Amino acid sequence: MNMKIDPWSALNIDDYSKLFDEFGILPFDEMVREIENPHKFMNRKIIFGHRSYDLITDAMKHNKPFSVMSGFMPSGKIHLGHKMVMEEIIWHQQQGGDAFVGIADREAHSVRGMSWDKCKDIGINEYIISLIALGFEPDGHIYFQSKSEQVKDLAFELGSKANFSELSAIYGFTGETNVAHMLSAVTQSADILHPQLEEYGGPKPTVIPVGADQDPHIRLTRGLGHKMNMFKIEGREDKNGNKYFSIRSKAAPEEALKELNERIPGKTKLFEGHVDIFNADDFELLLKTVREVELEFGGYAFVPPSSTYHRFMSGLQGGKMSSSVPDSYLSLTEDPKGAAKKVKRAKTGGRMTLEEQKKLGGEPDKCSVYEMFLFHLVDDDEELAQIYTECREGSRVCGNCKALAAERTEKFLKEHQELREVAKDRLDEYGLSI
C-alpha cells in the first residue's frame, strides 16, 4: 500500500481504514463510551482515530493532570478546518486540561518563506483572535515558536536524538531539503512535548488534536520522546514462568539505578544497566517512582503524546478544499453575506431533477451542504438525523437545505466577527498585543 502522508501539502484520503492498517492509528469508536460528555465530533465519527487516548480518558475520569496542545501555521486566512481544531482544544480545556496553542511561525518562515512580521500579523489577527472568540480561556498558554525559549531549547535537545534517515523516512526529506525545514519539524516535536516540562507541572498525558495529515509529527515526537527518557520498563518472564518487571537504563547515571533499587519497595535486584522487580503489584506506583527518579537526575520522563484525528471537510464545490479556489472554502473573517452566497452555490448530493429526487432520494453522504450541517451548523443530533432521513427519502429538496445552511452560515459569521472585536480588546489577558 505504502501510503504517504505529507504535513505540508494537500491531502485527500478516500479510505481512512488505510490509516489504521498502515500507520497504527486506532479507531475512536470504543473511546466514546469512556467519555461522560463527548464532543459532537466524537459522537458523529468526525473524530475517527487516536493514539493512546485512553491516557486522556483516564485522566478526565479520575481528575488527574493532563494537557491539550495543538498549533497553527500562520499561512493565510483562518477557515473552518482551523475552527475544528480550536473547538477540540477548547473542549479539552473545559474538561480540565491545561491548554497550549502554538503559532508555528518558524515553520511558516522555513517552509513558506513568510517574513516574521507577516507571521505575527496573521498569527494574531487571523488565528489567535478567532481562538479567543471561540472560547479559549486565559488560563491556557498561547505562544509563538520563535519567542518561546522553552520550545527552542527543547528543540535543540531533541535534535540530538533525530537524524536525517529518520526524518527522511517519516517526511520524505531529500538532499534538497533545507536545514531550517528539518529544524521546523523537530520544533514541532518540542511544541508537543513542552507541556510536560517542569515549569508546567512535569510529565503528564498530553493530547494533540490534528487532521490525519499531521500524523508524521506525532510519530516523530513519540519516537523522540522515547529516546530522550533515561529508562524503559519491560515486562519479563523467568524460566519458571514467573513474571517480573525490569527497569532498564538507556542513558541513566549509575547512581540513578542505585536510587531506584533503594526506593522501590519489595524484592529487587540491581544489575549493571538494569534493576529487576519481582513482586511489584502496583504498576502505577512503579511508573511514578521511575519518573520521579529520572526527574531528580535531570531527565524528562516524557509520557508518549496522545493524539486524535479528524476527518477532512470537502470543498464546497466537491473534491478538495483549496485556498487557491475561494469558492471551495469559508473563512471566518470573510463577509457573512458573501459567504452565504457561496453556500447557495455549493455542490449538493441531490439528483438531477426534482422528480428523481422524490423517487430515488438524495445522497447526503456526497453533499457538501449536509457536511456543513454535520461539522458546524447543526448542534442538535435529532435535527441532523431528520435532515439526513428526509434527504434520503426524497422529501427534502436541495434548495431548502442550501437556504438553511446559508442563513446559519451568515448568522454564525456575524456573531463570530462581533466576538472577534471583543477578543481584540482582551489580548492583554493572554499576554499578547497587536
Side-chain angles (χ1 to χ4, degrees):
M1 194 181 298
N2 196 26
M3 183 180 182
K4 202 71 180 174
I5 297 180
D6 177 357
W8 298 287
S9 61
L11 178 66
N12 188 32
I13 297 176
D14 297 319
D15 184 359
Y16 284 92
S17 66
K18 293 178 183 178
L19 298 170
F20 303 143
D21 297 336
E22 190 149 344
F23 297 109
I25 292 172
L26 298 173
F28 198 80
D29 295 3
E30 293 187 8
M31 285 288 105
V32 179
R33 293 194 286 269
E34 303 297 320
I35 302 167
E36 187 173 346
N37 295 301
H39 191 278
K40 68 180 180 183
F41 291 164
M42 298 172 176
N43 283 330
R44 296 178 183 184
K45 300 187 178 182
I46 293 168
I47 294 175
F48 68 89
H50 75 97
R51 290 187 192 274
S52 302
Y53 195 73
D54 54 304
L55 298 178
I56 305 302
T57 58
D58 178 71
M60 290 191 293
K61 194 179 294 183
H62 298 102
N63 295 314
K64 298 176 184 177
F66 76 97
S67 294
V68 56
M69 188 277 150
S70 203
F72 303 93
M73 181 168 69
S75 57
K77 292 288 185 182
I78 181 171
H79 53 65
L80 292 176
H82 300 119
K83 174 178 175 283
M84 287 176 63
V85 178
M86 291 178 179
E87 287 183 340
E88 292 173 53
I89 294 168
I90 291 165
W91 180 85
H92 282 96
Q93 186 181 39
Q94 291 167 347
Q95 309 314 305
D98 192 13
F100 293 75
V101 174
I103 301 299
D105 55 345
R106 277 188 152 196
E107 185 180 11
H109 185 70
S110 64
V111 178
R112 304 283 191 233
M114 298 188 71
S115 71
W116 296 111
D117 287 343
K118 186 75 171 173
C119 288
K120 180 181 178 183
D121 176 52
I122 294 175
I124 291 178
N125 290 303
E126 289 286 333
Y127 297 87
I128 293 173
I129 287 174
S130 273
L131 175 70
I132 295 171
L134 288 168
F136 189 84
E137 293 292 342
D139 60 0
H141 314 268
I142 303 174
Y143 67 94
F144 284 77
Q145 287 176 332
S146 64
K147 302 298 182 186
S148 172
E149 294 304 317
Q150 295 101 321
V151 168
K152 287 191 285 187
D153 288 347
L154 183 55
F156 183 81
E157 295 287 342
L158 294 174
S160 68
K161 301 295 183 182
N163 58 56
F164 178 75
S165 295
E166 184 175 20
L167 294 175
S168 178
I170 292 174
Y171 297 106
F173 288 165
T174 69
E176 302 300 313
T177 306
N178 67 62
V179 175
H181 192 164
M182 297 180 207
L183 179 59
S184 77
V186 178
T187 303
Q188 294 267 14
S189 293
D191 284 323
I192 292 168
L193 290 172
H194 93 280
Q196 299 191 51
L197 295 177
E198 190 175 355
E199 48 263 62
Y200 299 117
K204 67 181 77 65
T206 303
V207 60
I208 321 299
V210 289
D213 59 334
Q214 301 300 303
D215 186 55
H217 294 316
I218 306 299
R219 281 183 278 134
L220 175 67
T221 305
R222 286 171 68 93
L224 291 178
H226 177 71
K227 290 178 182 178
M228 292 290 286
N229 289 347
M230 288 182 178
F231 303 105
K232 63 178 178 179
I233 304 175
E234 296 179 345
R236 300 208 160 195
E237 190 174 297
D238 66 20
K239 61 184 179 182
N240 297 317
N242 300 310
K243 295 181 179 180
Y244 65 97
F245 290 108
S246 182
I247 303 171
R248 311 192 74 82
S249 168
K250 291 158 59 183
E254 187 178 338
E255 293 79 7
L257 277 172
K258 290 179 180 177
E259 180 67 22
L260 273 176
N261 187 53
E262 292 176 7
R263 196 178 297 187
I264 293 172
K267 185 181 177 183
T268 65
K269 190 170 183 180
L270 177 64
F271 298 89
E272 184 177 350
H274 64 102
V275 177
D276 291 346
I277 303 98
F278 298 97
N279 58 350
D281 297 324
D282 189 340
F283 180 76
E284 286 294 321
L285 178 60
L286 176 64
L287 185 61
K288 182 173 181 286
T289 305
V290 171
R291 286 176 177 160
E292 286 174 351
V293 170
E294 176 164 342
L295 292 172
E296 288 170 17
F297 281 84
Y300 291 99
F302 288 129
V303 179
S306 306
S307 49
T308 59
Y309 302 93
H310 58 252
R311 287 168 43 197
F312 297 109
M313 284 188 68
S314 55
L316 290 174
Q317 299 303 317
K320 295 179 183 178
M321 192 177 291
S322 172
S323 58
S324 62
V325 183
D327 271 0
S328 74
Y329 74 96
L330 294 177
S331 162
L332 301 192
T333 55
E334 69 180 277
D335 172 56
K337 290 189 180 299
K341 289 178 181 177
K342 279 188 190 180
V343 172
K344 288 181 179 178
R345 295 194 297 269
K347 182 182 177 182
T348 68
R351 304 294 179 174
M352 294 296 290
T353 66
L354 182 59
E355 184 181 354
E356 284 186 0
Q357 178 83 0
K358 290 181 178 179
K359 181 181 177 182
L360 302 174
E363 297 179 288
D365 296 313
K366 298 180 180 178
C367 179
S368 62
V369 174
Y370 177 75
E371 205 172 57
M372 289 282 293
F373 292 142
L374 177 70
F375 281 70
H376 298 288
L377 299 179
V378 176
D379 289 327
D380 186 277
D381 288 339
E382 289 186 12
E383 182 187 3
L384 185 70
Q386 183 179 356
I387 292 171
Y388 185 90
T389 301
E390 289 176 357
C391 176
R392 287 294 302 271
E393 291 175 346
S395 61
R396 191 178 189 92
V397 295
C398 297
N400 291 346
C401 272
K402 283 186 174 182
L404 178 62
E407 176 189 332
R408 292 194 180 180
T409 297
E410 184 175 350
K411 182 174 183 288
F412 163 71
L413 289 178
K414 280 182 179 177
E415 291 175 351
H416 180 69
Q417 289 168 18
E418 288 170 1
L419 291 170
R420 278 176 55 87
E421 292 304 311
V422 176
K424 289 177 184 177
D425 296 330
R426 297 183 60 208
L427 284 172
D428 60 331
E429 295 179 41
Y430 300 79
L432 298 163
S433 62
I434 296 178

